[in-house]
Amino acid sequence: MPTNKEQVAEEVTYLDAISQALAAEMERDESVFLMGEDVGQFGGAFKISKGFMERFGARRVVDTPIAENGFTGMAAGAAICGLRPVVEFQFADFISQAFDPIINVMARHHYRTGVPVPVTLRCPFGGRLRAGPTHSQSIESYFAHVPGLKIVAPATVEDAAGLLISSIRDNNPVLFLESKYLYRRLKVPAPLSLEPTPLGVAKVAREGTDVTLVSYSVGVQQGLEAAEVLAREGISVEVIDCRTLVPLDIDTIVKSVKKTSRAVVLHEAARRLGYGAEIASEIGEACFWFLDAPVTRIAALNTPIPTSPPLEDAVLPQTEEVIETLRKVARS
Amino acid sequence: MQTPDEARTRVASFEIFLTRFLDDDGRPLCRLPAAARRPQRLLHAYRLMARIRAFENKAVALQRTGQLGTYASGLGQEAVNAAIGLGLARDDVYLGNYRECGVPLARGVPMAQILQYWGGDERGMAWPRTVPAFHDFPFAVPVASQVPQALGVAYAMQLRHEKRATLVTCGDGASSKGDFAEAVSAAGVWKLPVVFVIINNQWAISLPRSRQCAAVTLAQKGLAGGIVGEQVDGNDLIATCHVIETALARARSGAGPQLVEALTYRLADHTTADDARRYRDAAEVDTARKHDPLARLHAWLEAQCGFTAQDETRLQAEVAAEVGVAVKTFLATPAPPPEALFDALYAELPPALHAQAFAAAGGGEA
Ligand SMILES: Cc1ncc(C[n+]2csc(CCOP(=O)(O)OP(=O)(O)O)c2C)c(N)n1
Ligand SMILES: [Mg+2]
């Protein structure tokens, strides 16, 4: 029985989901361990690993010195030897400090030797928290170009847990993008199922007939909001949650676009060469004869992310913009 | 016959020195260097430290009342900031990180401008043309990223045969980064005019110094790169001025780089978003408060320079007035307009971005 103090929470946040899934995997498999800056007693910058040190000990909850390149290389070595490291980057923005071990080691080792590299790179990413140009970035496009990596970006509480479990169990290096914005904003009633959600399978988050909105992470939530508003105007939006960017479940997307004949792609990353460019061109190739309107992208401006609230709002896609664009495309 | 162990020969051995002139109560531990005994200079330094402290306190207060973004206070580190600010010549170049607001303050940057940055307006990082800080770099956010950049600055000085020096600071945590080791190693090879200062405030967010690196001192990281490494009591303004000035003079004269580990303490939380009580002992912080850099210099000024309680009151009033004016100016500074998004993105905005910039400025569809 839980004591008064540790009452079973009634709600599970996106953040709790990640924490619970990680703990469950560490419980289930001794080779899983967590490493990163301040992940130990401090519980990590966002408190994902709160209580882990007491539960799993300092050998499996490793406080690293500030040395991203070093500890990411270390994770590669440990994974190659059969452990399953989960690396927490304090902010996704600092993963650029560890480019080389990710690209030239993690994404190459299996190709060279046939030996798997089961690492999960956890990256709190994205904006809307007024954290400025070096604490708000979307990093998926840097890595989507690299063969050998998987990229996962959950949009819901359930997927945050299910996709993390699959990422940890996957035998490849997986970049796991956690929306800082959703961490404490998104909640579902407890308890949460801790079953794996397969990688590479997109989800129809809302069915519709007039226009398809393709997105991932926080964009899916925005898309659902927009769809709700447009439904009242008689516009029926189908929302597709990619869930995994690499591998991309293009079939689910194509099926939807063939049905609606219209597609809008939404993400928070900058527009130029954002992952939407890839999705849009895939749709273009597969659905050309089915389309009634150009595939349209909604993305951030091609600028750094400013700290100033009105400026950050001007840079990142806002729900109103999503609504307007969907309306325009649906009516075109 | 010698044993294999005996047959080994000592090829090198090293020492690390710590410089400290005043004890915690401001009493001299030795005869002070001549420069350190000039009352006017020390009063000037003390005033600067008082300005820095008042600024730190006000910035935290502004954040607490929702008027400033997250702030990383340098409370307790005023002496080393002041010593660096005073030691740098106008033409020298400084690079440092977010916690060292004291250096730009010492180098002429108005308080209001530093508040502007922390208030979320990146334009605050463009130091005014007229102040000594003009050539200094903006606060580094990825820790240690400034350290290799300092090599480039020093290299430019060397190539142009200038008698200038570069000084770069980073934290104890940042000294674990590869960037740091790479920079120290290369600086030694090229004998660049650069002074590396590790501001060892004993903490890197929740990680204490002892868990950052197993070395007894961080100063010895200089030895690994073949350059001088030494420690200074970074809460002893007089000692720190002396060590920094000597290192800068060496660098300017072409004698090469040097590493200084300044021992101090982060009296504040990591940032206003942190609560350090969750990971460090109150007793440790109380002890650290006894080494307060301002109290120490104040005691010396009272004993040696005739500094009185009235002088202190007057100084505090002047500093409070400066901070008050700065806050007013800051709060009255208009937020950056949407046009500012593209203003500084490129040296010249490529025409391909004109449509986006026009739309962002409210001009209609991109
Ligand atoms: C490359 C990089 N990794 C992680 C961070 C997140 N972070 C911000 S401050 C900090 C601790 C820095 O400690 P230290 O270098 O001792 O400087 P201090 O904050 O004590 O002044 C960390 C890990 C960062 N800013 N940059
Ligand atoms: Mg520190």
Side-chain angles (χ1 to χ4, degrees):
Chain A
M1 280 290 283
T3 65
N4 252 357
K5 233 179 141 190
E6 40 185 88
Q7 282 222 340
V8 179
E10 285 163 18
E11 286 179 326
V12 185
T13 63
Y14 182 99
L15 186 143
D16 298 331
I18 293 168
S19 178
Q20 289 182 17
L22 181 55
E25 286 308 288
M26 290 179 69
E27 209 62 85
R28 181 182 157 274
D29 179 351
E30 285 227 315
S31 64
V32 178
F33 71 101
L34 175 68
M35 60 194 293
E37 288 153 14
D38 303 282
V39 299
Q41 190 218 331
F42 190 65
F46 294 98
K47 299 286 165 268
I48 295 274
S49 56
K50 195 171 162 208
F52 278 39
M53 182 78 124
E54 292 74 12
R55 199 162 156 195
F56 301 106
R59 289 265 139 213
R60 293 181 67 204
V61 186
V62 183
D63 266 329
T64 61
I66 307 177
E68 288 84 2
N69 187 50
F71 65 67
T72 308
M74 172 178 158
I80 288 163
C81 289
L83 297 182
R84 291 189 175 271
V86 176
V87 179
E88 173 173 304
F89 288 92
Q90 197 153 66
F91 284 82
D93 308 67
F94 302 125
I95 200 171
S96 45
Q97 312 259 340
F99 240 51
D100 194 66
I102 297 173
I103 292 169
N104 283 328
V105 183
M106 291 180 182
R108 297 286 168 273
H109 190 79
H110 185 270
Y111 179 78
R112 297 174 68 204
T113 65
V115 175
V117 189
V119 182
T120 307
L121 304 166
R122 290 189 33 240
C123 305
F125 89 120
R128 304 177 197 272
L129 298 181
R130 315 319 190 190
T134 54
H135 286 78
S136 308
Q137 298 172 84
S138 292
I139 56 157
E140 58 273 30
S141 276
Y142 310 155
F143 294 99
H145 194 61
V146 181
L149 298 175
K150 292 189 180 179
I151 305 181
V152 176
T156 65
V157 176
E158 294 83 353
D159 278 356
L163 292 172
L164 180 60
I165 292 171
S166 295
S167 300
I168 294 172
R169 294 185 194 174
D170 199 275
N171 276 334
N172 300 282
V174 180
L175 205 69
F176 189 82
L177 303 180
E178 304 174 2
S179 165
K180 301 198 292 282
Y181 182 76
L182 296 181
Y183 267 161
R184 294 173 199 280
R185 281 182 178 76
L186 216 55
K187 304 176 175 128
V188 297
L192 184 71
S193 140
L194 292 176
E195 288 305 312
T197 306
L199 304 188
V201 182
K203 184 172 72 179
V204 181
R206 179 185 173 115
E207 285 189 22
T209 50
D210 297 332
V211 53
T212 299
L213 177 75
V214 185
S215 194
Y216 51 90
S217 191
V218 72
V220 174
Q221 295 301 333
Q222 250 183 347
L224 290 171
E225 254 177 72
E228 192 60 40
V229 173
L230 289 168
R232 281 180 242 135
E233 298 175 17
I235 297 173
S236 165
V237 181
E238 179 144 305
V239 180
I240 306 285
D241 176 358
C242 296
R243 287 168 147 175
T244 315
L245 305 184
V246 183
L248 180 68
D249 176 6
I250 191 67
D251 294 347
T252 300
I253 297 170
V254 165
K255 197 171 143 211
S256 170
V257 177
K258 283 185 177 168
K259 179 175 78 176
T260 63
S261 310
R262 291 179 165 84
V264 174
V265 185
L266 162 66
H267 57 59
E268 202 183 273
R271 178 182 168 93
R272 187 188 327 114
L273 277 179
Y275 198 69
E278 173 69 13
I279 299 175
S281 62
E282 289 284 355
I283 295 174
E285 282 183 34
C287 305
F288 182 74
W289 302 107
F290 294 82
L291 286 171
D292 287 339
V295 181
T296 304
R297 283 177 289 165
I298 308 173
L301 300 182
N302 295 322
T303 69
I305 304 192
T307 315
S308 152
L311 258 60
E312 185 178 29
D313 290 348
V315 168
L316 301 182
Q318 303 300 315
T319 307
E320 298 74 61
E321 186 192 350
V322 179
I323 294 170
E324 271 170 42
T325 308
L326 284 167
R327 188 187 285 133
K328 217 171 77 187
V329 173
R331 291 190 175 150
S332 63
Chain B
M1 279 287 274
Q2 286 179 314
T3 67
D5 270 354
E6 286 161 355
R8 294 184 306 161
T9 55
R10 184 188 300 271
V11 288
S13 58
F14 304 101
E15 285 169 317
I16 299 289
F17 290 97
L18 165 68
T19 303
R20 189 176 193 221
F21 290 159
L22 298 183
D23 71 10
D24 285 340
D25 301 319
R27 284 183 300 252
L29 298 161
C30 62
R31 197 161 40 77
L32 300 189
R37 287 182 311 228
R38 293 213 308 272
Q40 277 319 312
R41 262 192 101 219
L42 295 182
L43 283 167
H44 179 62
Y46 183 69
R47 161 181 287 274
L48 175 57
M49 286 164 63
R51 289 178 63 221
I52 299 173
R53 174 150 299 182
F55 178 84
E56 297 292 359
N57 287 333
K58 181 52 92 179
V60 171
L62 286 172
Q63 191 281 334
R64 298 280 187 240
T65 50
Q67 300 174 88
L68 199 72
T70 303
Y71 182 73
S73 166
L75 193 76
Q77 303 178 194
E78 295 87 352
V80 56
N81 278 0
I84 291 167
L86 295 171
L88 287 164
R90 186 178 179 105
D91 287 338
D92 292 339
V93 174
Y94 170 71
L95 305 89
N97 67 16
Y98 47 85
R99 203 180 300 286
E100 268 57 60
C101 294
V103 181
L105 283 182
R107 304 262 287 157
V109 176
M111 289 179 177
Q113 180 168 350
I114 300 176
L115 291 173
Q116 185 188 8
Y117 170 73
W118 289 101
D121 187 344
E122 271 81 32
R123 295 177 303 176
M125 278 294 107
W127 305 132
R129 207 162 258 290
T130 48
V131 304
F134 177 58
H135 293 290
D136 296 349
F137 278 42
F139 297 148
V141 180
V143 304
S145 58
Q146 70 275 27
V147 189
Q149 294 169 45
L151 291 190
V153 176
Y155 180 76
M157 292 171 174
Q158 192 184 56
L159 196 73
R160 294 174 182 145
H161 305 288
E162 294 167 343
K163 294 244 165 305
R164 301 163 73 190
T166 306
L167 187 146
V168 58
T169 60
C170 73
D172 44 305
S175 76
S176 291
K177 292 269 314 172
D179 311 41
F180 179 84
E182 292 173 29
V184 168
S185 188
V189 173
W190 294 319
K191 274 185 109 178
L192 293 176
V194 57
V195 178
F196 301 100
V197 181
I198 299 176
I199 301 191
N200 175 1
N201 63 7
Q202 313 300 336
W203 289 89
I205 310 187
S206 74
L207 219 63
R209 157 66 184 85
S210 59
R211 294 180 55 208
Q212 195 63 242
C213 177
V216 185
T217 71
L218 298 176
Q220 70 205 63
K221 294 192 175 201
L223 303 183
I227 71 175
V228 178
E230 61 176 307
Q231 285 188 330
V232 65
D233 180 338
N235 284 5
D236 178 342
L237 180 276
I238 301 180
T240 310
C241 281
H242 176 71
V243 168
I244 298 275
E245 277 163 24
T246 311
L248 282 168
R250 277 189 74 231
R252 288 186 208 111
S253 76
Q258 181 167 337
L259 173 68
V260 177
E261 175 187 3
L263 302 171
T264 179
Y265 194 86
R266 193 193 82 203
L267 287 175
D269 295 326
H270 171 64
T271 64
T272 48
D274 175 41
D275 178 1
R277 285 172 305 186
R278 286 177 311 183
Y279 54 82
R280 69 179 183 187
D281 277 349
E284 181 188 301
V285 183
D286 287 342
T287 308
R289 284 214 178 84
K290 297 205 182 90
H291 308 302
D292 189 297
L294 274 99
R296 197 183 306 188
L297 187 58
H298 183 261
W300 168 266
L301 290 175
E302 268 188 347
Q304 306 292 325
C305 308
F307 193 71
T308 64
Q310 281 122 307
D311 291 334
E312 177 70 23
T313 311
R314 194 176 327 116
L315 171 61
Q316 289 303 336
E318 285 165 13
V319 166
E322 183 191 358
V323 172
V325 170
V327 170
K328 278 213 188 86
T329 309
F330 158 61
L331 293 175
T333 306
E339 296 88 279
L341 280 171
F342 288 87
D343 275 354
L345 187 57
Y346 289 93
E348 264 170 62
L349 192 68
L353 281 168
H354 285 178
Q356 241 187 40
F358 182 68
E365 198 167 307

